[in-house]
Amino acid sequence: MNLGLPPFYDEQTKVLIIGSAPSEQSLRAQQYYANKGNQFWRVLFQALDVPDPQEYHQRLSLLKAHQIGLWDVYERFSRKGSMDHQFQETTINDFSQLLAHAPIKKIIVNGKKASEEVQKHHLFPNLPIIHCLSTSGANNGRSIERMHQWQVALADIV
């Protein structure tokens, strides 16, 4: 089984964006949303109305400045390829430590699979959860609707 990426957050993080699991490219690079086909960084920074610095560590610094954290639903997983419908075996992350150390006020869920798991396992029962269309390249046909959802989800932190 693959091991997902560690959470990105600090004691100031108020918004947590949850995906399903890193792609093969993200695992190799040890970076969130390293797959060039995934529109996460473009969508996120456009929704925040700030330029994308392109460099990964600068992107993380900008997230930190906006009090945004990142993590995934799955801690461990088996999957052929990088598509969410290809998961074969999964283990859910334990969010208790993160929630105990960060003043999370809102969860934004990136995509259908992550949304299904968040709901199925009642991962954040006391927090508002906003479900957004996946930033995956497979969803580019719905880019206008997707951008609107992300803008609404991030509107109060711009």
Short mmCIF file of all heavy atoms in Angstrom, two decimals, residues 108-138:
data_model
loop_
_atom_site.label_atom_id
_atom_site.label_comp_id
_atom_site.label_asym_id
_atom_site.label_seq_id
_atom_site.Cartn_x
_atom_site.Cartn_y
_atom_site.Cartn_z
N ILE A 108 -13.02 22.22 3.22
CA ILE A 108 -13.37 22.24 1.80
C ILE A 108 -12.92 20.90 1.23
O ILE A 108 -11.76 20.53 1.36
CB ILE A 108 -12.69 23.40 1.05
CG1 ILE A 108 -13.12 24.74 1.64
CG2 ILE A 108 -13.02 23.33 -0.45
CD1 ILE A 108 -12.39 25.94 1.06
N VAL A 109 -13.86 20.18 0.64
CA VAL A 109 -13.56 18.85 0.12
C VAL A 109 -13.42 18.93 -1.40
O VAL A 109 -14.30 19.42 -2.10
CB VAL A 109 -14.65 17.85 0.51
CG1 VAL A 109 -14.26 16.44 0.07
CG2 VAL A 109 -14.89 17.87 2.02
N ASN A 110 -12.28 18.44 -1.88
CA ASN A 110 -11.93 18.49 -3.30
C ASN A 110 -12.31 17.17 -3.97
O ASN A 110 -11.56 16.21 -3.94
CB ASN A 110 -10.42 18.75 -3.43
CG ASN A 110 -9.98 18.95 -4.87
OD1 ASN A 110 -10.78 18.94 -5.78
ND2 ASN A 110 -8.69 19.15 -5.05
N GLY A 111 -13.50 17.14 -4.56
CA GLY A 111 -13.88 16.00 -5.37
C GLY A 111 -14.87 15.04 -4.72
O GLY A 111 -15.07 15.01 -3.51
N LYS A 112 -15.45 14.22 -5.59
CA LYS A 112 -16.52 13.31 -5.20
C LYS A 112 -16.06 12.21 -4.25
O LYS A 112 -16.73 11.93 -3.26
CB LYS A 112 -17.13 12.69 -6.47
CG LYS A 112 -18.29 11.78 -6.22
CD LYS A 112 -18.84 11.24 -7.53
CE LYS A 112 -19.99 10.29 -7.27
NZ LYS A 112 -20.51 9.74 -8.53
N LYS A 113 -14.95 11.57 -4.53
CA LYS A 113 -14.49 10.45 -3.70
C LYS A 113 -14.20 10.93 -2.28
O LYS A 113 -14.63 10.31 -1.31
CB LYS A 113 -13.25 9.80 -4.31
CG LYS A 113 -12.81 8.55 -3.58
CD LYS A 113 -13.89 7.51 -3.62
CE LYS A 113 -13.37 6.12 -3.40
NZ LYS A 113 -14.44 5.12 -3.48
N ALA A 114 -13.49 12.04 -2.15
CA ALA A 114 -13.20 12.58 -0.82
C ALA A 114 -14.50 12.95 -0.12
O ALA A 114 -14.66 12.69 1.08
CB ALA A 114 -12.26 13.78 -0.93
N SER A 115 -15.44 13.54 -0.84
CA SER A 115 -16.75 13.90 -0.25
C SER A 115 -17.47 12.67 0.27
O SER A 115 -18.03 12.69 1.38
CB SER A 115 -17.63 14.59 -1.29
OG SER A 115 -17.22 15.90 -1.51
N GLU A 116 -17.49 11.61 -0.53
CA GLU A 116 -18.15 10.38 -0.11
C GLU A 116 -17.55 9.84 1.19
O GLU A 116 -18.27 9.43 2.09
CB GLU A 116 -18.04 9.31 -1.21
CG GLU A 116 -18.88 9.61 -2.42
CD GLU A 116 -18.58 8.67 -3.60
OE1 GLU A 116 -17.61 7.87 -3.52
OE2 GLU A 116 -19.31 8.76 -4.60
N GLU A 117 -16.23 9.86 1.28
CA GLU A 117 -15.55 9.32 2.47
C GLU A 117 -15.76 10.21 3.69
O GLU A 117 -15.96 9.71 4.79
CB GLU A 117 -14.06 9.11 2.19
CG GLU A 117 -13.78 8.05 1.14
CD GLU A 117 -14.11 6.63 1.58
OE1 GLU A 117 -14.61 6.41 2.70
OE2 GLU A 117 -13.86 5.71 0.79
N VAL A 118 -15.71 11.52 3.49
CA VAL A 118 -15.95 12.45 4.61
C VAL A 118 -17.34 12.21 5.19
O VAL A 118 -17.52 12.16 6.41
CB VAL A 118 -15.76 13.92 4.15
CG1 VAL A 118 -16.35 14.90 5.14
CG2 VAL A 118 -14.28 14.22 3.93
N GLN A 119 -18.33 12.05 4.31
CA GLN A 119 -19.71 11.82 4.76
C GLN A 119 -19.87 10.43 5.37
O GLN A 119 -20.45 10.28 6.45
CB GLN A 119 -20.68 12.00 3.60
CG GLN A 119 -20.79 13.44 3.15
CD GLN A 119 -21.63 13.60 1.90
OE1 GLN A 119 -21.77 12.69 1.09
NE2 GLN A 119 -22.19 14.78 1.73
N LYS A 120 -19.36 9.41 4.71
CA LYS A 120 -19.50 8.03 5.16
C LYS A 120 -18.92 7.81 6.55
O LYS A 120 -19.50 7.12 7.39
CB LYS A 120 -18.83 7.09 4.16
CG LYS A 120 -18.83 5.64 4.53
CD LYS A 120 -18.10 4.82 3.46
CE LYS A 120 -17.93 3.38 3.87
NZ LYS A 120 -17.17 2.63 2.86
N HIS A 121 -17.76 8.42 6.81
CA HIS A 121 -17.05 8.20 8.08
C HIS A 121 -17.29 9.32 9.10
O HIS A 121 -16.66 9.31 10.16
CB HIS A 121 -15.56 8.02 7.82
CG HIS A 121 -15.26 6.81 6.98
ND1 HIS A 121 -15.30 5.53 7.48
CD2 HIS A 121 -14.95 6.70 5.67
CE1 HIS A 121 -15.01 4.68 6.51
NE2 HIS A 121 -14.80 5.36 5.40
N HIS A 122 -18.15 10.28 8.75
CA HIS A 122 -18.47 11.40 9.66
C HIS A 122 -17.18 12.01 10.21
O HIS A 122 -17.02 12.15 11.43
CB HIS A 122 -19.38 10.94 10.79
CG HIS A 122 -20.60 10.21 10.31
ND1 HIS A 122 -21.66 10.87 9.73
CD2 HIS A 122 -20.91 8.89 10.30
CE1 HIS A 122 -22.58 9.99 9.38
NE2 HIS A 122 -22.15 8.79 9.71
N LEU A 123 -16.27 12.38 9.32
CA LEU A 123 -14.93 12.80 9.73
C LEU A 123 -14.90 14.16 10.43
O LEU A 123 -14.03 14.41 11.24
CB LEU A 123 -13.99 12.82 8.52
CG LEU A 123 -13.74 11.45 7.88
CD1 LEU A 123 -12.84 11.59 6.66
CD2 LEU A 123 -13.15 10.48 8.90
N PHE A 124 -15.84 15.04 10.11
CA PHE A 124 -15.82 16.39 10.68
C PHE A 124 -17.23 16.77 11.13
O PHE A 124 -17.83 17.70 10.61
CB PHE A 124 -15.28 17.39 9.65
CG PHE A 124 -13.97 16.98 9.06
CD1 PHE A 124 -13.90 16.41 7.79
CD2 PHE A 124 -12.80 17.14 9.77
CE1 PHE A 124 -12.69 16.01 7.25
CE2 PHE A 124 -11.57 16.74 9.24
CZ PHE A 124 -11.51 16.18 7.97
N PRO A 125 -17.76 16.08 12.13
CA PRO A 125 -19.17 16.28 12.50
C PRO A 125 -19.50 17.67 13.04
O PRO A 125 -20.65 18.09 12.97
CB PRO A 125 -19.41 15.21 13.58
CG PRO A 125 -18.06 14.92 14.14
CD PRO A 125 -17.10 15.10 13.00
N ASN A 126 -18.52 18.39 13.56
CA ASN A 126 -18.80 19.69 14.17
C ASN A 126 -18.30 20.87 13.35
O ASN A 126 -18.20 21.98 13.88
CB ASN A 126 -18.18 19.73 15.57
CG ASN A 126 -18.76 18.63 16.45
OD1 ASN A 126 -19.96 18.40 16.46
ND2 ASN A 126 -17.89 17.93 17.17
N LEU A 127 -17.99 20.63 12.09
CA LEU A 127 -17.46 21.70 11.25
C LEU A 127 -18.29 21.85 9.97
O LEU A 127 -18.79 20.85 9.45
CB LEU A 127 -16.01 21.39 10.85
CG LEU A 127 -14.98 21.48 11.97
CD1 LEU A 127 -13.65 20.89 11.53
CD2 LEU A 127 -14.80 22.93 12.42
N PRO A 128 -18.39 23.07 9.47
CA PRO A 128 -19.04 23.23 8.16
C PRO A 128 -18.16 22.61 7.08
O PRO A 128 -16.94 22.76 7.08
CB PRO A 128 -19.14 24.75 7.99
CG PRO A 128 -18.31 25.37 9.03
CD PRO A 128 -17.99 24.34 10.06
N ILE A 129 -18.81 21.89 6.18
CA ILE A 129 -18.11 21.21 5.09
C ILE A 129 -18.67 21.72 3.77
O ILE A 129 -19.88 21.70 3.56
CB ILE A 129 -18.29 19.68 5.19
CG1 ILE A 129 -17.74 19.18 6.52
CG2 ILE A 129 -17.63 18.98 4.00
CD1 ILE A 129 -18.08 17.74 6.82
N ILE A 130 -17.77 22.15 2.90
CA ILE A 130 -18.15 22.61 1.57
C ILE A 130 -17.57 21.63 0.56
O ILE A 130 -16.36 21.39 0.55
CB ILE A 130 -17.64 24.04 1.29
CG1 ILE A 130 -18.22 25.00 2.31
CG2 ILE A 130 -17.98 24.46 -0.13
CD1 ILE A 130 -17.66 26.39 2.25
N HIS A 131 -18.44 21.07 -0.26
CA HIS A 131 -18.02 20.09 -1.26
C HIS A 131 -17.84 20.81 -2.60
O HIS A 131 -18.78 21.44 -3.08
CB HIS A 131 -19.06 18.99 -1.38
CG HIS A 131 -19.32 18.29 -0.08
ND1 HIS A 131 -18.57 17.23 0.35
CD2 HIS A 131 -20.23 18.54 0.90
CE1 HIS A 131 -19.01 16.83 1.53
NE2 HIS A 131 -20.01 17.62 1.89
N CYS A 132 -16.64 20.71 -3.17
CA CYS A 132 -16.35 21.35 -4.45
C CYS A 132 -16.02 20.31 -5.50
O CYS A 132 -15.51 19.23 -5.19
CB CYS A 132 -15.15 22.29 -4.31
SG CYS A 132 -15.50 23.78 -3.36
N LEU A 133 -16.31 20.66 -6.75
CA LEU A 133 -15.93 19.79 -7.86
C LEU A 133 -14.43 19.58 -7.84
O LEU A 133 -13.65 20.50 -7.54
CB LEU A 133 -16.33 20.42 -9.19
CG LEU A 133 -17.81 20.34 -9.55
CD1 LEU A 133 -18.09 21.20 -10.77
CD2 LEU A 133 -18.23 18.90 -9.81
N SER A 134 -14.02 18.38 -8.19
CA SER A 134 -12.61 18.04 -8.22
C SER A 134 -11.81 18.93 -9.17
O SER A 134 -12.30 19.30 -10.24
CB SER A 134 -12.45 16.58 -8.66
OG SER A 134 -11.10 16.26 -8.85
N THR A 135 -10.60 19.22 -8.76
CA THR A 135 -9.69 19.99 -9.62
C THR A 135 -8.95 19.09 -10.60
O THR A 135 -8.13 19.56 -11.38
CB THR A 135 -8.67 20.77 -8.77
OG1 THR A 135 -7.94 19.86 -7.94
CG2 THR A 135 -9.37 21.83 -7.93
N SER A 136 -9.27 17.81 -10.60
CA SER A 136 -8.67 16.86 -11.53
C SER A 136 -8.88 17.30 -12.97
O SER A 136 -9.93 17.86 -13.32
CB SER A 136 -9.30 15.48 -11.32
OG SER A 136 -9.03 14.63 -12.40
N GLY A 137 -7.90 17.00 -13.80
CA GLY A 137 -8.03 17.30 -15.23
C GLY A 137 -9.21 16.60 -15.87
O GLY A 137 -9.75 17.07 -16.87
N ALA A 138 -9.64 15.49 -15.28
CA ALA A 138 -10.81 14.78 -15.79
C ALA A 138 -12.09 15.61 -15.66
O ALA A 138 -13.10 15.30 -16.29
CB ALA A 138 -10.98 13.45 -15.05
#
